């Protein structure tokens, strides 16, 4: 489906889903119960440090202690990103995914101490809320007191989900709006990345894939339109093509896979229903329908194959590859529910962990055969998330996936 830039922009206007809505006005608040619960948990549970607020401003430190030994010849910079500011004005976000992104750089140089530098991504949201001393915008899972209406998704862009180098620029990635460009040395923000005319603010997911030839594929989701924006970027960081592909059901999609021929989307059963605040509440669990898999032809985005699998939900995919007869093999951390998204990541803001909501995904290898047939095999009967593959094998047959257990 070819789409004009004007239509793309109309998608963008709706892509916030809740654009135009604003939160209810609150009167004077007594103690925020979520903040109080978190502080109580933090007093006794060191694990909660991972959900605590990081101090603002850039930070430089030299590692005082290094356990083990760095492999010889290992040198470079490890960048990471994650939510790190959850509280302002004594009010705490309700969902882990809401925290403002902080990008870290660990510099590894043989024979020298490891150094760490971190800095919040200075999104428009971050800058405005630093100024105001309170949260101003509804976010993915929260509606702060007296929050404002949004004009578009970048108003709530927390740039907190992952990080990627593209042709020498560091991108702090979210999924509902723009990539945020940073200076890779200083971690200072340069601003929202605009890939081309008319493409400002379109959703750009946090999990782009780099083909062996260096070109980059990504997607952004417009679930209320049952549509995806597909991005194809050259190894030189220049946009090759962006376009809208319709008729992909609006189940929340966080990650995807590529093969040498296809872009593969697994549409989980947390489905777009209607615009509500917070944005997460616009989705409802619906296991009366299949979990649709859509494979889009990289060479012709109008060509696709589909499979209907039993209902399920996922955040992350290991990878995929495709065989001569068109069979696709894809592995993912699959769950039969979305309770981590809807409950577990909310409990975490209170400092609570519940294995029954937080640890339900398992690694599964799905074989998608021609004609809509498929088979599934579960690897191991233990919790799995954050599958990773050797990036040199992106889209290619491989033997290994690494994951958190
Ligand atoms: Fe992710």
């Amino acid at each position: 489906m070819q789409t004009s830039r004007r239509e793309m922009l109309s998608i963008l206007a709706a892509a916030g889903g809740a654009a135009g809505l604003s939160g209810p006005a609150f009167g004077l608040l007594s103690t925020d119960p979520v903040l109080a619960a978190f502080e109580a948990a933090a007093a006794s549970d060191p694990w909660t440090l991972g959900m605590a607020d990081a101090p603002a401003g850039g930070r430089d430190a030299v590692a005082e202690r290094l356990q083990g030994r760095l492999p010889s010849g290992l040198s470079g910079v490890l960048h990471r990103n994650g939510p790190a500011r959850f509280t302002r004005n004594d009010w705490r976000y309700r969902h882990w995914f809401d925290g403002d992104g902080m990008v870290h750089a660990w510099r590894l140089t043989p024979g020298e101490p490891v150094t760490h530098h971190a800095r919040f991504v200075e999104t428009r949201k971050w800058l405005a809320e630093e100024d105001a001393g309170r949260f101003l915008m509804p976010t993915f899972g929260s509606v702060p007191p007296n929050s404002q209406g949004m004009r578009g998704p970048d108003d709530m862009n927390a740039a907190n989900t992952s990080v990627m180098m593209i042709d020498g620029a560091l991108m702090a990635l979210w999924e509902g709006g723009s990539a945020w460009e940073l200076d890779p040395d200083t971690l200072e923000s340069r601003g929202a990345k605009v890939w081309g005319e008319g493409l400002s603010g379109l959703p750009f997911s946090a999990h782009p894939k780099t083909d062996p030839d260096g070109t980059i594929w990504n997607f952004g989701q417009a679930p209320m339109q049952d549509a995806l924006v597909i991005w194809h970027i050259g190894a030189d960081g220049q946009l090759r093509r962006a376009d809208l592909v319709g008729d992909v059901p609006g189940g929340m999609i966080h990650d995807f896979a590529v093969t040498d021929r296809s872009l593969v989307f697994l549409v989980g059963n947390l489905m777009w229903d209607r615009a509500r605040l917070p944005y997460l509440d616009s989705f409802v669990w619906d296991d009366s329908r299949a979990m649709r898999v859509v494979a889009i032809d990289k060479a012709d985005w109008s060509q696709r194959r589909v499979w209907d699998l039993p209902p399920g939900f996922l955040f992350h995919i290991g990878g995929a590859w495709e065989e001569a007869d068109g069979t696709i093999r894809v592995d993912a951390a699959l769950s039969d529910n979305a309770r981590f998204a809807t409950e577990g990541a909310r409990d975490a803001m209170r400092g609570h962990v519940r294995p029954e909501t937080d640890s339900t995904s398992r690694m599964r290898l799905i074989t998608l055969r021609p004609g809509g047939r498929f088979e599934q095999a579960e690897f191991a009967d233990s919790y799995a998330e954050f599958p990773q593959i050797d990036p040199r094998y992106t889209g290619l047959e491989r033997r290994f996936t690494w994951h958190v257990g």
Side-chain angles (χ1 to χ4, degrees):
M1 179 172 96
Q2 297 290 326
T3 311
S4 73
R5 291 284 161 87
R6 182 194 297 264
E7 285 174 284
M8 298 271 270
L9 283 173
S10 74
I11 293 294
L12 163 65
L21 301 182
S22 60
F26 288 72
L28 274 178
L29 280 176
S30 53
T31 309
D32 173 22
V34 173
L35 179 59
F38 182 77
E39 286 177 344
S44 60
D45 186 349
W47 172 89
T48 55
L49 186 59
M51 304 282 172
D53 287 277
R59 285 288 181 275
D60 282 297
V62 174
E64 292 175 11
R65 190 164 55 105
L66 186 65
Q67 285 181 294
R69 204 156 36 90
L70 291 179
S72 65
L74 179 66
S75 78
V77 185
L78 172 67
H79 289 114
R80 298 192 70 193
N81 187 7
R85 168 54 64 89
F86 301 97
T87 311
R88 288 188 191 275
N89 197 25
D90 294 328
W91 192 87
R92 185 165 166 85
Y93 277 142
R94 272 39 180 164
H95 198 286
W96 184 34
F97 299 174
D98 293 330
D100 292 289
M102 174 175 254
V103 171
H104 302 252
W106 284 270
R107 295 178 204 282
L108 311 175
T109 311
E112 289 182 26
V114 175
T115 65
H116 169 251
H117 176 71
R119 192 179 173 116
F120 277 101
V121 185
E122 284 137 1
T123 56
R124 289 201 286 273
K125 168 186 179 299
W126 167 266
L127 292 170
E129 292 177 343
E130 276 285 277
D131 233 27
R134 66 181 184 93
F135 291 128
L136 298 173
M137 291 294 163
T139 51
F140 174 80
S142 300
V143 185
N146 305 313
S147 53
Q148 303 175 354
M150 290 181 294
R151 293 152 302 169
D154 275 346
D155 281 354
M156 62 182 231
N157 191 337
N160 64 0
T161 313
S162 75
V163 69
M164 184 183 192
M165 290 287 278
I166 300 179
D167 191 41
L170 187 64
M171 303 288 176
L173 302 176
W174 192 50
E175 67 185 30
S178 303
W180 222 265
E181 189 174 338
L182 313 179
D183 182 306
D185 295 321
T186 66
L187 306 182
E188 281 174 63
S189 293
R190 294 173 177 162
K193 174 68 181 176
V194 180
W195 296 99
E197 192 191 339
L199 301 174
S200 172
L202 284 173
F204 190 87
S205 99
H207 294 294
K209 302 289 180 276
T210 305
D211 272 347
D213 69 359
T215 64
I216 297 162
W217 294 90
N218 200 10
F219 75 98
Q221 191 177 24
M224 64 296 298
Q225 274 85 15
D226 289 340
L228 300 176
V229 179
I230 303 291
W231 301 92
H232 191 204
I233 296 160
D236 59 359
Q238 298 300 306
L239 181 72
R240 291 194 176 179
R241 188 182 169 199
D243 212 336
L244 205 65
V245 170
D247 200 21
V248 177
M252 195 179 284
I253 305 175
H254 176 73
D255 193 4
F256 76 125
V258 298
T259 73
D260 57 347
R261 279 164 276 171
S262 305
L263 312 175
V264 183
F265 298 91
L266 279 65
V267 184
N269 287 72
L270 188 60
M271 306 296 302
W272 176 264
D273 181 41
R274 63 183 172 83
R276 295 185 185 92
L277 286 176
Y279 181 73
L280 171 60
D281 290 353
S282 305
F283 293 83
V284 296
W285 179 251
D286 178 7
D287 58 7
S288 68
R289 56 188 292 160
M291 179 168 70
R292 173 149 288 194
V293 181
V294 181
I296 294 167
D297 188 328
K298 281 172 155 178
D300 178 354
W301 299 358
S302 71
Q303 299 297 312
R304 68 173 60 191
R305 291 171 287 159
V306 300
W307 293 262
D308 282 337
L309 273 55
F313 185 74
L314 68 152
F315 286 106
H316 296 116
I317 292 179
W321 71 92
E322 194 157 341
E323 294 166 3
D325 70 349
T327 294
I328 293 173
R329 298 185 192 270
V330 54
D331 63 343
L334 274 162
S335 177
D336 62 5
N337 66 77
R339 291 201 300 266
F340 182 72
T342 57
E343 298 171 39
R346 283 176 161 141
D347 290 341
M349 292 293 89
R350 296 175 173 270
H352 298 162
V353 186
R354 289 192 294 147
E356 66 272 25
T357 57
D358 300 350
S359 308
T360 63
S361 52
R362 306 278 184 276
M363 284 308 294
R364 201 181 295 169
L365 177 64
I366 305 168
T367 302
L368 303 162
R369 305 237 181 236
R373 291 174 300 122
F374 64 89
E375 298 135 35
Q376 303 192 74
E378 216 155 84
F379 287 22
D381 186 28
S382 62
Y383 168 69
E385 241 298 359
F386 300 106
Q388 292 285 312
I389 63 169
D390 180 336
R392 294 170 298 183
Y393 287 81
T394 298
L396 306 177
E397 184 172 354
R398 69 195 144 79
R399 293 175 59 206
F400 296 107
T401 299
W402 287 264
H403 61 79
V404 172

